[in-house]
Amino acid sequence: MTLLEQMNQDMKQAMKQKDKEKLNVIRMVKASLQNETINLGKDTLSEEEELTILSRELKQRKDSLQEFKSAGRNDLVESLDIEINILQEYLPKQLTNEELEAIVQSTIQEVNATSKKDIGKVMSAIMPKVKGKADGSQINKLVLKQLN
């Protein structure tokens, strides 16, 4: 079942249950997926493209969450927390810190990275491996820690 089919099913379920938050999030993500499909001139998106869009949506909400927390907007923080939890349901299972550290170690060895100057090489090699399964900023921190 594709992501779009899963979202359509979940959208129907949310309508029946009158779950407005979930319904709104699903509609926003579906719109993003459809906009990307139109922009790329395709009939359907690949699973990787869908994951990219989901990750982008999640990142936007996490960034907004930090802004709202620092501004003391607790009313908006609650709704964003709900949206983030709903989006995470559609992403693949997230990697643990131990799994990420192992991937970072092996990738550093693969690209023969030795200093912070090589962070770009390491990050560009890691990101396709962990697409949708880990947060880029978390990976960046692990790579910096390993390269010190």
Side-chain angles (χ1 to χ4, degrees):
M1 179 181 302
T2 68
L3 179 64
L4 209 50
E5 291 169 348
Q6 178 67 41
M7 289 188 140
N8 283 331
Q9 275 188 346
D10 290 349
M11 190 166 85
K12 289 176 190 173
Q13 193 67 30
M15 284 179 187
K16 288 178 184 175
Q17 294 174 349
K18 298 189 184 337
D19 186 349
K20 289 183 180 180
E21 291 92 4
K22 188 167 189 168
L23 188 58
N24 287 336
V25 171
I26 292 172
R27 283 180 174 157
M28 282 188 277
V29 173
K30 278 185 62 178
S32 293
L33 289 168
Q34 289 170 335
N35 285 339
E36 192 69 21
T37 304
I38 292 167
N39 289 342
L40 295 174
K42 294 183 174 182
D43 290 333
T44 58
L45 296 173
S46 70
E47 190 174 328
E48 186 176 316
E49 291 166 331
E50 290 175 341
L51 277 177
T52 301
I53 294 164
L54 267 179
S55 297
R56 182 183 330 136
E57 291 287 326
L58 187 62
K59 183 179 183 325
Q60 286 174 351
R61 283 165 178 78
K62 284 183 176 180
D63 291 345
S64 297
L65 185 68
Q66 293 302 324
E67 293 294 321
F68 292 149
K69 280 183 179 177
S70 65
R73 295 292 309 265
N74 294 332
D75 55 328
L76 297 173
V77 168
E78 280 182 34
S79 65
L80 270 179
D81 271 335
I82 293 169
E83 288 184 23
I84 288 170
N85 289 333
I86 292 168
L87 280 173
Q88 287 176 334
E89 292 175 19
Y90 296 103
L91 287 170
K93 182 181 171 289
Q94 299 295 293
L95 296 170
T96 64
N97 261 352
E98 294 79 30
E99 292 170 324
L100 280 176
E101 286 179 9
I103 292 171
V104 167
Q105 276 287 12
S106 65
T107 306
I108 286 173
Q109 291 170 356
E110 279 176 29
V111 297
N112 298 321
T114 55
S115 69
K116 286 184 180 180
K117 291 179 188 175
D118 300 324
I119 194 166
K121 284 195 294 188
V122 176
M123 290 299 291
S124 62
I126 287 179
M127 290 314 288
K129 295 178 186 177
V130 297
K131 189 75 155 181
K133 298 177 187 172
D135 183 40
S137 61
Q138 182 184 12
I139 295 168
N140 194 337
K141 289 175 188 170
L142 286 173
V143 170
L144 281 172
K145 187 173 115 182
Q146 296 287 333
L147 289 178
N148 278 338

